[in-house]
Each structure stands twice: as structure tokens, then as C-alpha cells.
């Protein structure tokens, strides 16, 4: 009866491993597919725009590089989780002690790294948002000099391309009749203009002109009402991806923790005096 119980426990453990790693396969796809979507959404980061984003640093890394590589990061992590799940499935189905040992080591390393990542995510998310927005505002204030796409100042050109591409105006949203962030750009010789041509609805790179009702009067309906910080964040749909990332991370941590404890218990039973 004892042997039958242990055999049943072994089959149950094998069944649990198969179920868990099937979930891991789906989670791998759940990171891989959003990664592809993210990588598609960042096609707006052109050679003209990237120098502006590179003025902002995120934990020591230029924002332009973060934006361009975020989707790639999701894809790599998704593929890694998928491959680890395949390893676990092969070990469980083939009852390979070697594969399961390698799998257990990888799972333990992933568990430790995920705990660190989730802690950092919660503690740094609001701080990062504040820092990025402040640095973008400082960059616009100090570097915006020309209302042109082909002027002598590369960063001014980049900001104007951002306004056109993301259909936004300033870092913070501009209200009708006001200059918004452009009231604090001392290096821009604006004349009668309150906002640049690139902020006006209907303006294109090939037809870079706008009526005074937009640039001088900032009349409602003639300019982009969204601030570029919000437009940039919306490109990544962070509310959705943050929830997916944290949900996947916390779920995997719980499952992996239980799996690790179960493996330890199984190891003790295998080395028992009964020989199992």
C-alpha cells in the first residue's frame, strides 16, 4: 500500500509538472506576442526623433534605446519562458532526472530574479514616470530653438517631428489660447507664435505651413490637444502591459515557489530508507 501511495504521488507530481509547464508555454506566448505588438508600435522612433529621446536617461540608459528595445526584451523573455517550459515538459514526460535537475536550477534562478524585478517595478514605477516627464520638459525648454524640420538645430527638428508623428503638442497638454510649455522656451525666437507649426492639425512634413489661428491664437480645433508625454506613454498602452507583466510575474513566482517546495519534498521521499 505504501508503494502504491508513492507511485500515485509520483504520477501526481508528473501530472502537476505537465500542467504547470503547459501554463508556462502559454505565458511565454503571452509575453512574446505583446513584444511583437510593442515592437510594431515603436516604428515612430525615427533617426530624427531618437536624439530627443536620448536626452532623457532611464536608470542610466537613454530613453531612445529603452523605447526601441522594450519590445525586443518582451520577445526574448517570452522565448526564454517558452523554452524553459519545453524543458520541463520533456523532463516530466520522459522522467529524465538530468533534465528535471537542470529545469529546477533554472526555475530557482528565475524565481529569485522575478522577486527582485517585481519589487523594483513597484518601488520605481511612479518615480520613473516623474523623472521621465521632468527630463522631457527640461529638454524642450533648453533645446527647442526653431520651428522647422530641417533647421540647423537637430534637437529642435526632432521635437517638431515628435509633434507631427505623435500628433501632440508640448510635453504637457496645451489649452486653447495658451502657449503651454512653449511659454518657457527662451531660446526660441517665436515672434507672434505661441506654438510651433508642427503642433497644428493637418500639417505634414511635405506641407509645413499653418495659419495664424493655430500658431498665434491657438484656437480650439486647430492644434493637437494631447501632451507628448501622454502620447508617448499611450503608444505602449502601459496600463494593459503593466497588468499583464505583473500578473504573469506574480503567478509564476507563486507556482515556482510551490514547485520548488514540492521538488524538495519529493527529493526527501526518493532518498528515504524505503528506497523511493
Amino acid at each position: 500500500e505504501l508503494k502504491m501511495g508513492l507511485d500515485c504521488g509520483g504520477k501526481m507530481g508528473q501530472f502537476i509538472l505537465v500542467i504547470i509547464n503547459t501554463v508556462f508555454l502559454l505565458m511565454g506566448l503571452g509575453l512574446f506576442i505583446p513584444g511583437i505588438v510593442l515592437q510594431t508600435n515603436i516604428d515612430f522612433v525615427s533617426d530624427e526623433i531618437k536624439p530627443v529621446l536620448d536626452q532623457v536617461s532611464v536608470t542610466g540608459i537613454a530613453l531612445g534605446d529603452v523605447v526601441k528595445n522594450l519590445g525586443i526584451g518582451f520577445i526574448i523573455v517570452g522565448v526564454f519562458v517558452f523554452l524553459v517550459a519545453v524543458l520541463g515538459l520533456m523532463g516530466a514526460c520522459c522522467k529524465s532526472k538530468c533534465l528535471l535537475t537542470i529545469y529546477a536550477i533554472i526555475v530557482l534562478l528565475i524565481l529569485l530574479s522575478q522577486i527582485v524585478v517585481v519589487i523594483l517595478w513597484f518601488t520605481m514605477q511612479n518615480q520613473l514616470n516623474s523623472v521621465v516627464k521632468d527630463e522631457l520638459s527640461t529638454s524642450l525648454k533648453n533645446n527647442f530653438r526653431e520651428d522647422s524640420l530641417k533647421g540647423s538645430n537637430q534637437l529642435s527638428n526632432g521635437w517638431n517631428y515628435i509633434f507631427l508623428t505623435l500628433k501632440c503638442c508640448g510635453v504637457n497638454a496645451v489649452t486653447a489660447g495658451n502657449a503651454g510649455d512653449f511659454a518657457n522656451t527662451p531660446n526660441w525666437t517665436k515672434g507672434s507664435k505661441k506654438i510651433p507649426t508642427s503642433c497644428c492639425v493637418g500639417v505634414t512634413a511635405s506641407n509645413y505651413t499653418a495659419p495664424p489661428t493655430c500658431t498665434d491664437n491657438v484656437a480650439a480645433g486647430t492644434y493637437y490637444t494631447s501632451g507628448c508625454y501622454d502620447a508617448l506613454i499611450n503608444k505602449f498602452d502601459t496600463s494593459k502591459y503593466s497588468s499583464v507583466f505583473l500578473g504573469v510575474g506574480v503567478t509564476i513566482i507563486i507556482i515556482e515557489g510551490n514547485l520548488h517546495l514540492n521538488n524538495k519534498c519529493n527529493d526527501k521521499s526518493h532518498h528515504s530508507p524505503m528506497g523511493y
Side-chain angles (χ1 to χ4, degrees):
E1 290 179 358
L2 177 61
K3 184 174 181 180
M4 287 179 63
L6 289 171
D7 286 344
C8 181
K11 290 180 181 178
M12 180 61 68
Q14 183 183 20
F15 175 74
I16 291 174
L17 274 173
V18 170
I19 294 299
I20 287 174
N21 285 287
T22 300
V23 174
F24 280 3
L25 284 174
L26 297 176
M27 286 181 172
L29 292 174
L31 291 170
F32 178 78
I33 294 173
I36 294 177
V37 174
L38 276 173
Q39 201 61 24
T40 302
N41 283 347
I42 62 172
D43 58 0
F44 69 89
V45 185
S46 62
D47 291 339
E48 293 82 11
I49 290 176
K50 191 173 182 297
V52 174
L53 299 182
D54 285 344
Q55 295 291 303
V56 179
S57 176
V58 180
T59 62
I61 305 174
L63 180 60
D65 292 329
V66 173
V67 170
K68 294 204 75 169
N69 296 312
L70 186 60
I72 295 175
F74 268 79
I75 292 171
I76 291 174
V77 172
V79 170
F80 180 72
V81 171
F82 185 88
L83 292 177
V84 170
V86 171
L87 180 66
L89 282 172
M90 291 176 61
C93 294
C94 300
K95 299 181 180 179
S96 171
K97 184 176 181 180
C98 179
L99 289 178
L100 287 176
T101 300
I102 296 172
Y103 172 77
I105 293 172
I106 294 174
V107 164
L108 181 59
L109 293 175
I110 293 175
L111 173 62
L112 295 174
S113 64
Q114 283 172 344
I115 291 173
V116 173
V117 168
V118 169
I119 291 174
L120 288 175
W121 182 275
F122 278 115
T123 57
M124 295 180 65
Q125 188 177 20
N126 290 334
Q127 181 183 356
L128 283 176
N129 287 340
S130 175
V131 168
V132 168
K133 191 171 187 178
D134 288 346
E135 289 196 22
L136 282 173
S137 296
T138 300
S139 175
L140 178 66
K141 176 182 177 180
N142 294 336
N143 299 314
F144 192 79
R145 300 171 183 270
E146 300 176 79
D147 183 6
S148 173
L149 297 177
K150 299 180 180 179
S152 58
N153 185 269
Q154 183 185 40
L155 294 177
S156 293
N157 298 340
W159 273 112
N160 286 312
Y161 270 107
I162 288 177
F163 303 149
L164 285 179
T165 306
L166 295 183
K167 299 185 184 305
C168 57
C169 187
V171 176
N172 301 286
V174 173
T175 57
N178 296 304
D181 292 333
F182 299 100
N184 300 311
T185 50
N187 297 316
W188 175 31
T189 306
K190 59 187 76 174
S192 61
K193 291 183 178 181
K194 291 182 178 178
I195 60 174
T197 303
S198 51
C199 283
C200 298
V201 175
V203 175
T204 64
S206 58
N207 181 27
Y208 196 74
T209 57
T213 51
C214 174
T215 57
D216 299 12
N217 301 330
V218 195
T222 64
Y223 67 98
Y224 298 124
T225 56
S226 175
C228 291
Y229 175 77
D230 290 337
L232 182 62
I233 294 300
N234 289 338
K235 269 287 182 181
F236 299 97
D237 200 1
T238 54
S239 60
K240 178 177 69 177
Y241 291 121
S242 297
S243 301
V244 170
F245 174 75
L246 288 176
V248 169
V250 172
T251 301
I252 293 177
I253 285 174
I254 294 171
I255 293 174
E256 287 170 353
N258 291 329
L259 178 61
H260 184 61
L261 290 174
N262 289 334
N263 284 340
K264 289 182 69 176
C265 293
N266 289 334
D267 287 343
K268 289 179 181 178
S269 65
H270 289 160
H271 291 89
S272 67
M274 298 295 295
Y276 297 101

